[in-house]
Amino acid sequence: MSAAAIHKLSTSDWAVLAALLEQPAHGFRIAALFAPNGELGDIWRIQRTQVYRALAHLEAAG
């Protein structure tokens, strides 16, 4: 990932990236982590559509 791409990451992108660094997972699992009743839902909530958008953005950024 280039330095320019890193500067363009949203906070949701960073949160999804951090979840992926903990362990490889598919979009549904990551969305479950950030759901209201998920492990991280009390700290940060990200809707499933935002998770998939973040995954697409991260993939495009390399």
Side-chain angles (χ1 to χ4, degrees):
M1 189 176 300
S2 71
I6 289 173
H7 291 294
K8 293 181 181 180
L9 295 179
S10 70
T11 51
S12 295
D13 292 344
W14 282 109
V16 169
L17 183 59
L20 286 171
L21 289 173
E22 287 293 317
Q23 69 179 26
H26 50 79
F28 187 83
R29 171 71 178 124
I30 295 170
L33 283 172
F34 292 103
N37 59 344
E39 293 176 43
L40 299 173
D42 287 337
I43 300 166
W44 193 324
R45 293 184 187 166
I46 302 175
Q47 296 178 355
R48 185 174 298 148
T49 55
Q50 289 175 297
V51 168
Y52 284 104
R53 190 176 310 126
L55 288 170
H57 190 218
L58 291 168
E59 183 178 18

